[in-house]
PDB file of all heavy atoms in Angstrom:
ATOM      1  N   THR A1642       8.233   6.315  12.632  1.00 96.00           N
ATOM      2  CA  THR A1642       7.749   6.009  11.254  1.00 96.00           C
ATOM      3  C   THR A1642       6.678   7.011  10.891  1.00 96.00           C
ATOM      4  O   THR A1642       5.819   7.529  11.727  1.00 96.00           O
ATOM      5  CB  THR A1642       7.100   4.677  11.305  1.00 96.00           C
ATOM      6  OG1 THR A1642       8.065   3.682  11.660  1.00 96.00           O
ATOM      7  CG2 THR A1642       6.532   4.218   9.973  1.00 96.00           C
ATOM      8  N   LEU A1643       6.660   7.478   9.571  1.00 96.00           N
ATOM      9  CA  LEU A1643       5.711   8.444   9.103  1.00 96.00           C
ATOM     10  C   LEU A1643       4.538   7.575   8.473  1.00 96.00           C
ATOM     11  O   LEU A1643       4.728   6.463   7.899  1.00 96.00           O
ATOM     12  CB  LEU A1643       6.365   9.224   7.945  1.00 96.00           C
ATOM     13  CG  LEU A1643       7.464  10.154   8.383  1.00 96.00           C
ATOM     14  CD1 LEU A1643       8.153  10.754   6.928  1.00 96.00           C
ATOM     15  CD2 LEU A1643       7.050  11.171   9.296  1.00 96.00           C
ATOM     16  N   PHE A1644       3.349   8.176   8.666  1.00 95.00           N
ATOM     17  CA  PHE A1644       2.059   7.636   8.127  1.00 95.00           C
ATOM     18  C   PHE A1644       1.362   8.605   7.417  1.00 95.00           C
ATOM     19  O   PHE A1644       1.298   9.709   7.645  1.00 95.00           O
ATOM     20  CB  PHE A1644       1.294   7.127   9.251  1.00 95.00           C
ATOM     21  CG  PHE A1644       1.801   5.964  10.111  1.00 95.00           C
ATOM     22  CD1 PHE A1644       2.690   6.239  11.121  1.00 95.00           C
ATOM     23  CD2 PHE A1644       1.595   4.586   9.702  1.00 95.00           C
ATOM     24  CE1 PHE A1644       3.232   5.124  11.898  1.00 95.00           C
ATOM     25  CE2 PHE A1644       2.141   3.597  10.433  1.00 95.00           C
ATOM     26  CZ  PHE A1644       2.939   3.859  11.532  1.00 95.00           C
ATOM     27  N   VAL A1645       0.791   8.126   6.309  1.00 94.00           N
ATOM     28  CA  VAL A1645      -0.220   8.898   5.538  1.00 94.00           C
ATOM     29  C   VAL A1645      -1.501   8.078   5.481  1.00 94.00           C
ATOM     30  O   VAL A1645      -1.424   6.813   5.300  1.00 94.00           O
ATOM     31  CB  VAL A1645       0.297   9.361   4.149  1.00 94.00           C
ATOM     32  CG1 VAL A1645       1.355  10.345   4.213  1.00 94.00           C
ATOM     33  CG2 VAL A1645       0.614   8.197   3.250  1.00 94.00           C
ATOM     34  N   THR A1646      -2.610   8.657   5.511  1.00 92.00           N
ATOM     35  CA  THR A1646      -3.824   7.916   5.540  1.00 92.00           C
ATOM     36  C   THR A1646      -4.733   8.403   4.359  1.00 92.00           C
ATOM     37  O   THR A1646      -4.594   9.413   3.783  1.00 92.00           O
ATOM     38  CB  THR A1646      -4.598   8.079   6.844  1.00 92.00           C
ATOM     39  OG1 THR A1646      -5.016   9.459   7.019  1.00 92.00           O
ATOM     40  CG2 THR A1646      -3.751   7.683   7.942  1.00 92.00           C
ATOM     41  N   LYS A1647      -5.756   7.614   4.088  1.00 88.00           N
ATOM     42  CA  LYS A1647      -6.683   7.768   3.082  1.00 88.00           C
ATOM     43  C   LYS A1647      -7.860   8.736   3.490  1.00 88.00           C
ATOM     44  O   LYS A1647      -8.445   9.288   2.572  1.00 88.00           O
ATOM     45  CB  LYS A1647      -7.357   6.480   2.579  1.00 88.00           C
ATOM     46  CG  LYS A1647      -6.247   5.529   2.018  1.00 88.00           C
ATOM     47  CD  LYS A1647      -6.909   4.124   1.656  1.00 88.00           C
ATOM     48  CE  LYS A1647      -5.872   3.100   1.152  1.00 88.00           C
ATOM     49  NZ  LYS A1647      -6.397   1.947   0.761  1.00 88.00           N
ATOM     50  N   ASN A1648      -8.019   8.857   4.678  1.00 89.00           N
ATOM     51  CA  ASN A1648      -9.149   9.766   5.152  1.00 89.00           C
ATOM     52  C   ASN A1648      -8.875  10.129   6.717  1.00 89.00           C
ATOM     53  O   ASN A1648      -8.013   9.566   7.361  1.00 89.00           O
ATOM     54  CB  ASN A1648     -10.419   9.127   4.977  1.00 89.00           C
ATOM     55  CG  ASN A1648     -10.567   7.842   5.582  1.00 89.00           C
ATOM     56  OD1 ASN A1648     -10.184   7.690   6.807  1.00 89.00           O
ATOM     57  ND2 ASN A1648     -11.143   6.795   4.911  1.00 89.00           N
ATOM     58  N   ILE A1649      -9.681  11.041   7.213  1.00 91.00           N
ATOM     59  CA  ILE A1649      -9.478  11.445   8.602  1.00 91.00           C
ATOM     60  C   ILE A1649      -9.878  10.331   9.605  1.00 91.00           C
ATOM     61  O   ILE A1649      -9.284  10.362  10.668  1.00 91.00           O
ATOM     62  CB  ILE A1649     -10.434  12.815   8.808  1.00 91.00           C
ATOM     63  CG1 ILE A1649      -9.935  13.389  10.233  1.00 91.00           C
ATOM     64  CG2 ILE A1649     -11.869  12.592   8.748  1.00 91.00           C
ATOM     65  CD1 ILE A1649      -8.707  14.059  10.056  1.00 91.00           C
ATOM     66  N   LEU A1650     -10.694   9.440   9.304  1.00 90.00           N
ATOM     67  CA  LEU A1650     -11.099   8.365  10.108  1.00 90.00           C
ATOM     68  C   LEU A1650      -9.944   7.444  10.358  1.00 90.00           C
ATOM     69  O   LEU A1650      -9.658   7.081  11.433  1.00 90.00           O
ATOM     70  CB  LEU A1650     -12.310   7.558   9.678  1.00 90.00           C
ATOM     71  CG  LEU A1650     -13.616   8.402   9.553  1.00 90.00           C
ATOM     72  CD1 LEU A1650     -14.711   7.438   8.861  1.00 90.00           C
ATOM     73  CD2 LEU A1650     -14.093   8.672  10.928  1.00 90.00           C
ATOM     74  N   ALA A1651      -9.201   7.238   9.309  1.00 90.00           N
ATOM     75  CA  ALA A1651      -8.063   6.410   9.316  1.00 90.00           C
ATOM     76  C   ALA A1651      -6.899   7.097  10.146  1.00 90.00           C
ATOM     77  O   ALA A1651      -6.140   6.567  10.990  1.00 90.00           O
ATOM     78  CB  ALA A1651      -7.494   5.987   7.952  1.00 90.00           C
ATOM     79  N   LYS A1652      -6.814   8.474   9.900  1.00 93.00           N
ATOM     80  CA  LYS A1652      -5.777   9.234  10.794  1.00 93.00           C
ATOM     81  C   LYS A1652      -6.127   9.177  12.206  1.00 93.00           C
ATOM     82  O   LYS A1652      -5.303   8.951  13.031  1.00 93.00           O
ATOM     83  CB  LYS A1652      -5.833  10.598  10.240  1.00 93.00           C
ATOM     84  CG  LYS A1652      -4.762  11.570  10.921  1.00 93.00           C
ATOM     85  CD  LYS A1652      -4.836  12.853  10.560  1.00 93.00           C
ATOM     86  CE  LYS A1652      -3.773  13.753  11.486  1.00 93.00           C
ATOM     87  NZ  LYS A1652      -3.719  15.087  11.200  1.00 93.00           N
ATOM     88  N   ASP A1653      -7.397   9.402  12.548  1.00 93.00           N
ATOM     89  CA  ASP A1653      -7.848   9.340  14.038  1.00 93.00           C
ATOM     90  C   ASP A1653      -7.582   7.912  14.431  1.00 93.00           C
ATOM     91  O   ASP A1653      -7.161   7.692  15.637  1.00 93.00           O
ATOM     92  CB  ASP A1653      -9.378   9.574  14.104  1.00 93.00           C
ATOM     93  CG  ASP A1653      -9.605  11.070  13.740  1.00 93.00           C
ATOM     94  OD1 ASP A1653      -8.732  11.972  13.814  1.00 93.00           O
ATOM     95  OD2 ASP A1653     -10.770  11.458  13.600  1.00 93.00           O
ATOM     96  N   PHE A1654      -7.808   6.921  13.716  1.00 91.00           N
ATOM     97  CA  PHE A1654      -7.530   5.463  14.162  1.00 91.00           C
ATOM     98  C   PHE A1654      -6.173   5.334  14.573  1.00 91.00           C
ATOM     99  O   PHE A1654      -5.937   4.715  15.565  1.00 91.00           O
ATOM    100  CB  PHE A1654      -7.938   4.601  12.938  1.00 91.00           C
ATOM    101  CG  PHE A1654      -7.787   3.081  13.150  1.00 91.00           C
ATOM    102  CD1 PHE A1654      -8.534   2.324  14.003  1.00 91.00           C
ATOM    103  CD2 PHE A1654      -6.635   2.487  12.505  1.00 91.00           C
ATOM    104  CE1 PHE A1654      -8.362   1.004  14.135  1.00 91.00           C
ATOM    105  CE2 PHE A1654      -6.447   1.076  12.664  1.00 91.00           C
ATOM    106  CZ  PHE A1654      -7.337   0.297  13.545  1.00 91.00           C
TER     107      PHE A1654
END
Side-chain angles (χ1 to χ4, degrees):
T1642 303
L1643 298 174
F1644 294 87
V1645 291
T1646 64
K1647 298 176 183 182
N1648 56 48
I1649 193 70
L1650 293 172
K1652 180 182 180 185
D1653 291 345
F1654 177 74

